[in-house]
Amino acid sequence: MSEALNGDRGALPPGVSRPTELRETLEKDGYLSDEGLSTAIFLALKLGRPLFLEGEAGVGKTEVAKTLSRVLDTPLIRLQCYEGMDASQAVYDWDYARQLLHIRTTEAFGEDEDRKRVEDELYTREFLVGRPLLQALEHHGENPPVLLIDEVDRADDEFEAFLLEVLSEFAITIPELGTVAAARPPIAVITSNRTREVHDALKRRCLYFYIDHPTLEREVEIVRLRVPGADERLARQVAEAVQSLRGMGLYKSPGVAEALDWTESLVALGAKELDEGLIEATLGSVVKYREDQQRTLGSSLSAIMGGMGTAGRSGSGGA
């Protein structure tokens, strides 16, 4: 159960009144964040502002929304964006099959209904299918839901412009029914992999934070926390190898998610430490493009092994 702190908009987990406390709460749920990220999340929750998270795929942006849903004990409503998505797929659509059935049922019973009244019945809430945005606005639980608008950079400019209205007013207008406004604004988390620039107008409505790849030490902590079956040596070797891969200029550098997948695969095989043969056998858990695998399996494999013990770079990520 969450705790409202500033009227109808803000919501924080119970007992949390500072960013450091929120950071500890997230960590207890398995999400490690640095001071900058935990402060951005704290402010978004307290001020009731949408949170815009940008960064490469796999650095933990989506996981922020999932974790908030758990620590606030509130539903997660996810809108996965894609090219060509329009408002009917994100907000609402009419249930045409049920509308047709209603017409046929009315005809079958021979009801002496006037045509205009039957048509009006077809466009009532009963025949409306709520998509993620409408579901978030109509939520009437004790706590506002977490609305995850994932990978908004995949959507078209037109949909991005539509989001401006939703995020400004937390309301939408359905021509046949009128305006639907949220009783309490959802906790909105918007993510972007930066495949294209998102318009400034959308960012202005949000608090912004860029999640970078984690430092070596932080990545070891994340692996240890999320894959408890991995011992310290294996976790460190995986983190070092992943950081070496990120420095190779691959088409798709592995994120934290891939580091966790790789570690889970290694643990499933009973591995205690990495060697070249094991890296080659399990490379598909961490490198997901054929060209990148071919490059890695060449002379770079020995470079990865040589990089263990020396890898590391700065970052701000979490997961």
Side-chain angles (χ1 to χ4, degrees):
M1 181 181 301
S2 66
E3 178 180 7
L5 292 183
N6 63 335
D8 291 332
R9 297 187 71 86
L12 286 165
V16 170
S17 58
R18 294 181 300 176
T20 53
E21 294 169 345
L22 177 62
R23 183 179 177 182
E24 293 169 359
T25 298
L26 298 177
E27 182 172 340
K28 290 177 182 175
D29 198 76
Y31 190 91
L32 295 178
S33 62
D34 62 14
E35 182 179 357
L37 178 56
S38 57
T39 301
I41 298 172
F42 175 85
L43 291 174
L45 293 177
K46 184 163 186 175
L47 300 177
R49 294 280 301 278
L51 178 62
F52 191 102
L53 298 176
E54 204 163 48
E56 292 189 30
V59 294
K61 304 183 296 298
T62 300
E63 199 61 30
V64 169
K66 293 180 179 178
T67 305
L68 286 178
S69 171
R70 291 193 296 267
V71 300
L72 290 167
D73 191 21
T74 194
L76 172 69
I77 299 175
R78 179 172 184 167
L79 173 63
Q80 179 64 53
C81 298
Y82 54 88
E83 185 178 357
M85 185 175 67
D86 58 29
S88 69
Q89 294 157 322
V91 186
Y92 70 91
D93 202 356
W94 293 104
D95 189 338
Y96 297 115
R98 289 195 63 204
Q99 288 176 320
L100 182 59
L101 182 62
H102 178 73
I103 293 172
R104 290 180 174 174
T105 301
T106 301
E107 292 173 345
F109 281 90
E111 295 180 18
D112 186 19
E113 303 285 356
D114 66 84
R115 181 172 180 176
K116 179 67 169 59
R117 195 178 77 77
V118 173
E119 288 180 352
D120 288 343
E121 288 176 349
L122 297 178
Y123 293 97
T124 58
R125 188 62 183 83
E126 179 184 0
F127 295 102
L128 194 70
V129 179
R131 305 300 187 196
L133 292 182
L134 184 60
Q135 292 172 13
L137 297 181
E138 289 189 323
H139 180 76
H140 293 295
E142 183 177 357
N143 304 313
V146 174
L147 171 62
L148 169 62
I149 303 173
D150 211 11
E151 299 183 337
V152 71
D153 51 321
R154 291 181 180 272
D156 300 325
D157 291 342
E158 292 77 8
F159 181 74
E160 192 179 312
F162 172 76
L163 275 182
L164 295 177
E165 176 188 356
V166 176
L167 296 178
S168 296
E169 307 296 334
F170 288 104
I172 57 172
T173 299
I174 302 173
E176 297 86 351
L177 300 179
T179 299
V180 178
R184 290 187 65 190
I187 299 162
V189 177
I190 306 167
T191 75
S192 168
N193 293 338
R194 211 173 186 178
T195 58
R196 68 171 177 83
E197 285 296 325
V198 175
H199 199 280
D200 289 345
L202 181 59
K203 289 185 176 180
R204 281 200 299 272
R205 284 162 172 77
C206 308
L207 298 180
Y208 174 87
F209 192 83
Y210 186 89
I211 301 182
D212 204 348
H213 290 298
T215 63
L216 172 62
E217 295 304 324
R218 175 50 57 90
E219 191 147 28
V220 173
E221 291 180 40
I222 292 170
V223 171
R224 292 278 285 158
L225 180 67
R226 299 292 295 274
V227 190
D231 61 25
E232 172 72 24
R233 178 178 175 79
L234 181 63
R236 179 165 293 276
Q237 286 186 326
V238 167
E240 290 171 343
V242 167
Q243 301 233 348
S244 292
L245 288 168
R246 289 178 190 145
M248 290 170 54
L250 300 179
Y251 174 71
K252 171 63 176 67
S253 292
V256 176
E258 283 76 21
L260 296 174
D261 286 347
W262 196 16
T263 308
E264 288 178 345
S265 297
L266 293 167
V267 170
L269 294 173
K272 299 298 182 184
E273 62 180 346
L274 279 178
D275 55 42
E276 287 194 17
L278 199 52
I279 292 176
E280 183 174 351
T282 59
L283 197 59
S285 297
V286 66
V287 177
K288 308 296 179 69
Y289 282 84
R290 182 168 180 266
E291 294 80 1
D292 288 344
Q293 289 191 351
Q294 290 175 329
R295 181 174 177 182
T296 304
L297 292 174
S299 57
S300 299
L301 196 58
S302 57
I304 293 172
M305 292 298 297
M308 292 183 187
T310 59
R313 60 175 179 168
S314 61
S316 61

